[in-house]
Amino acid sequence: MNAPRTQRSKPRRVDIGVCTFRRAELEHTLRSLAALSIPANTVLRVIVADNDVEPSARSLVYALAGELPFELAYVHCPAANISLARNTCLESGGGDFLAFIDDDSTASPEWLAELLKIADTTGADAVLGPVQAVYGPGAPDWMSQGDFHSTKPIFVNGEIHTGYSGNVLLRRTSPKLAGRRFNLARGRSGGEDTEYFARLHQAGGRIAFAPSALVVEPVPAERTELSWLMKRRFRAGQTHGRLLTELQPNRAVWPRVGLAAAKAAYCFVAAGANAIFADRRNRFALRGVMHVGAVSGLLGAQEIKQYGERQTAGKRGNAA
């Protein structure tokens, strides 16, 4: 564990990466970063990585550059591949830390300070914060009551084994992160961040959690469909199954397939038993779909694509 810093002879430099694809909320996200409480002796820079074929976010970024109280850099990476955009932020950054926030999220004023505080006190290589979903009035009651879109890390025996990119701080100076990049092959299927952090953990990297480093994220109408959540959970299961075989290649596959299938069957039975309770029914059903996805991933099926699908202008083609 790295010892916490008590004195610094030069300012600590922090980059914030915002990967974007035709997101109207980008301006609101950037303005929320302008309201951050920046710790003393810390210099902030924001990198916007535009993943659209056309440089659709450039004019907005250039217009805001003179208004916002930090350096604002724009990089065009036109490949409709979210891994390329994330890697662009990694390669364009030069600070001691690099944080990621989604281009439709709002950072709380203490967001960055809380991430840095946990990084300093734990010496972790990566620090995750919670992403709180905000549902609109058109969302189903069962969905908003069950809060199916918010994100927090999962602890396994007191450790975090993987993570996500919607709210995270990376210690760029850590040897565990040297040369580490997001997998371009998963840049359209999704799960590239799950793999990145799983491999970081496997390499001995530490992932910590900052519960007060909150960002909030609106849930678009198209994501309030049960079918969207099922597709999302299935792909997450596929990623989990593929990673199990990649990270532990010497373990037999069929016992894992059997276990995942048994879990899926249990969840579907439980969903049927809770048929009259929409929240419980759908929660069990979604877990069952995730385990079916794990079976698919364990058997080597190609992961479904969520990124790069063309949509109408003004909507993001990437499913974050």
Side-chain angles (χ1 to χ4, degrees):
M1 180 186 298
N2 296 332
R5 295 183 179 184
T6 56
Q7 294 182 341
R8 299 185 183 91
S9 58
K10 60 181 181 179
R12 173 168 55 183
R13 297 174 58 201
V14 180
D15 295 318
I16 300 177
V18 185
C19 301
T20 191
F21 186 100
R22 301 184 187 179
R23 187 79 86 179
E25 296 85 353
L26 174 62
E27 180 176 356
H28 185 77
T29 298
L30 295 175
R31 290 192 183 279
S32 78
L33 299 179
L36 290 174
S37 298
I38 307 299
N41 208 32
T42 299
V43 177
L44 180 65
R45 181 176 72 140
V46 175
I47 304 166
V48 176
D50 188 352
N51 209 202
D52 195 1
V53 173
E54 300 295 328
S56 55
R58 182 168 59 190
S59 59
L60 171 64
V61 173
Y62 284 0
L64 291 175
E67 296 183 35
L68 302 181
F70 44 70
E71 180 184 349
L72 184 58
Y74 173 84
V75 185
H76 188 211
C77 38
N81 184 308
I82 192 63
S83 291
L84 177 64
R86 300 204 197 286
N87 290 340
T88 296
C89 291
L90 284 168
E91 292 156 8
S92 299
D96 302 293
F97 291 91
L98 170 65
F100 278 109
I101 185 173
D102 284 347
D103 60 349
D104 60 345
S105 293
T106 300
S108 59
E110 300 300 325
W111 169 65
L112 184 61
E114 290 293 329
L115 288 174
L116 289 168
K117 181 175 74 173
I118 296 300
D120 285 343
T121 57
T122 65
D125 302 285
V127 181
L128 299 167
V131 180
Q132 179 63 55
V134 178
Y135 293 94
D141 290 341
W142 63 265
M143 187 176 291
S144 55
Q145 291 169 3
D147 194 16
F148 284 80
H149 290 75
S150 293
T151 307
K152 290 183 179 179
I154 297 174
F155 286 83
V156 179
N157 297 323
E159 292 186 353
I160 302 172
H161 289 196
T162 187
Y164 44 85
S165 55
N167 183 356
V168 67
L169 180 74
L170 301 175
R171 188 184 299 274
R172 292 189 70 258
T173 55
S174 168
K176 298 293 191 302
L177 269 70
R180 190 172 300 282
R181 295 293 183 268
F182 291 88
N183 188 347
L184 293 176
R186 284 199 165 96
R188 294 187 66 184
S189 67
E192 78 294 334
D193 47 359
T194 301
E195 177 185 357
Y196 181 93
F197 291 105
R199 292 191 180 278
L200 172 63
H201 177 267
Q202 185 190 44
R206 288 193 60 216
I207 305 173
F209 180 50
S212 298
L214 178 68
V215 303
V216 297
E217 184 175 84
V219 180
E222 62 269 20
R223 299 189 186 183
T224 59
E225 300 290 336
L226 180 59
S227 59
W228 187 91
L229 281 171
M230 285 191 169
K231 182 178 180 180
R232 175 81 166 188
R233 295 294 195 277
F234 182 80
R235 197 277 304 153
Q238 283 188 307
T239 300
H240 178 68
R242 291 290 292 267
L243 284 175
L244 283 175
T245 58
E246 292 172 10
L247 298 178
Q248 299 174 340
N250 295 325
R251 291 189 59 181
V253 170
W254 288 109
R256 289 172 165 175
V257 169
L259 179 61
K263 288 181 177 180
Y266 170 83
C267 288
F268 291 137
V269 170
N274 288 274
I276 63 173
F277 305 105
D279 181 358
R280 299 181 199 173
R281 178 191 68 225
N282 292 334
R283 192 174 298 279
F284 277 118
L286 287 166
R287 287 196 63 81
V289 168
M290 182 184 69
H291 291 306
V292 171
V295 171
S296 171
L298 286 164
L299 295 177
Q302 183 176 0
E303 294 174 54
I304 60 176
K305 292 181 179 180
Q306 288 190 293
Y307 289 96
E309 298 174 1
R310 309 301 294 177
Q311 296 186 0
T312 57
K315 293 184 179 178
R316 184 176 179 178
N318 297 343

